[in-house]
Amino acid sequence: LIRNTLVLSGLGILLGFSAPIILALMINEIPSERFKRFVQTVTYAPNFISTVVIVSIILTVLNPRTGAYGLIINAFDLPAVDLLAKPSAFPWIYVLSNIWQYVGFDAIVYLAALSAISPDLYEAAKIDGASRLQKIRHIDIPGILPVIVILLILEMSSILGIGFEKIFLMQNGPNLSTSEVISTYVYKMGLLRADFSFGTAVGLFNSIVSFLLLIG
C-alpha cells in the first residue's frame, strides 16, 4: 500500500509539478492577449469538471471496443487491450488524467508570479540581445523560483495523502495490485469492516510522516 501510494504521488510530483510551470512559461510567451486568454480558459476549464465525470470520460475513451482508444487500435488491426484492467497502466492513466484536469488551475499561480516580474529586466535583456530561451532561463525561472519552492514543500508534505475519490472510482479487480492505496484501504477496513481503531492508527501514521516531510 505504501509502495503504491508513493509511486502515484512520486509520478504526480515528477510530472504534474513541472507541467503547470512549463504551461505558464509557454502562455507567458504568447504575444496575442486574446489568444493567451483563450489558452488559459481551455486549460483551466477541466478543473470545474467533477471527479465522477472525469472518471466516466476516462472509462468511455479507453473502452477497448467502443471508445476512441478502441477505435484507433481496431483501425490498425492491433490487439485491443483493456488498459484500465492492466496494473502497469493504472499509474500512468491516473497521473496523466490528473495533469490534464489540474494543469491550467495550477498554472495560474505561476502566471501571477510572472506578471510581478519587472518589465525593466525584459527591456535590459532585449537590449543585450537575449533570446526567448535566455529570457526564460535568466529572468522568468529565477523570478518564480520562490513560488516553486513553497508549492513543492506543500506537495511533499501531502505525499501520503493522495486523493481517495478518483482512485476508488477507477479501481477494479485486475488493477487492484497497483491501485490500492492507503486511503482506499483505510476506507475498506475502517468503514466497510468497522475496524475504526485500525483506520485511526493509519491516519495518525499519515499525519506523522507528513509532518516529518514538511519539517525536512
Side-chain angles (χ1 to χ4, degrees):
L1 294 173
I2 294 174
R3 182 200 65 203
N4 291 343
T5 305
L6 290 176
V7 166
L8 292 176
S9 296
L11 274 176
I13 292 175
L14 186 65
L15 301 177
F17 188 77
S18 58
I21 300 173
I22 296 169
L23 178 63
L25 293 172
M26 291 171 66
I27 291 176
N28 192 54
E29 290 297 316
I30 297 175
S32 170
E33 285 297 324
R34 179 178 293 181
F35 185 62
K36 184 184 292 187
R37 287 195 297 269
F38 172 76
V39 173
Q40 280 184 270
T41 304
V42 170
T43 55
Y44 183 68
N47 182 69
F48 294 100
I49 304 175
S50 71
T51 304
V52 175
V53 176
I54 289 290
V55 174
S56 300
I57 293 172
I58 294 170
L59 294 175
T60 302
V61 171
L62 295 183
N63 189 298
R65 282 178 290 194
T66 59
Y69 159 74
L71 295 175
I72 294 171
I73 291 296
N74 292 331
F76 290 96
D77 291 328
L78 297 173
V81 179
D82 189 355
L83 294 178
L84 284 170
K86 200 173 181 183
S88 59
F90 179 85
W92 295 102
I93 296 171
Y94 174 81
V95 171
L96 292 176
S97 61
N98 263 4
I99 292 173
W100 169 69
Q101 186 176 4
Y102 298 114
V103 66
F105 178 80
D106 295 339
I108 289 176
V109 179
Y110 299 110
L111 285 169
L114 286 168
S115 66
I117 297 175
S118 173
D120 296 338
L121 295 174
Y122 294 107
E123 290 295 330
K126 187 177 180 180
I127 292 171
D128 290 338
S131 65
R132 282 192 173 187
L133 289 177
Q134 288 174 325
K135 289 178 186 177
I136 292 172
R137 180 183 174 187
H138 297 290
I139 299 175
D140 291 342
I141 294 178
I144 63 175
L145 194 58
V147 178
I148 293 174
V149 172
I150 292 171
L151 292 180
L152 182 60
I153 290 172
L154 294 175
E155 285 281 339
M156 291 299 297
S157 66
S158 60
I159 194 168
L160 289 182
I162 193 166
F164 161 81
E165 186 180 8
K166 186 176 179 182
I167 292 179
F168 185 72
L169 291 171
M170 292 174 64
Q171 273 185 353
N172 54 49
N175 70 25
L176 209 58
S177 60
T178 56
S179 66
E180 188 80 292
V181 293
I182 293 174
S183 58
T184 57
Y185 187 69
V186 167
Y187 166 74
K188 293 171 184 176
M189 293 294 294
L191 293 180
L192 297 185
R193 299 188 184 182
D195 192 350
F196 302 117
S197 58
F198 177 80
T200 304
V202 174
L204 180 62
F205 168 76
N206 272 2
S207 299
I208 292 172
V209 171
S210 298
F211 176 74
L212 293 175
L213 285 170
L214 182 61
I215 295 298

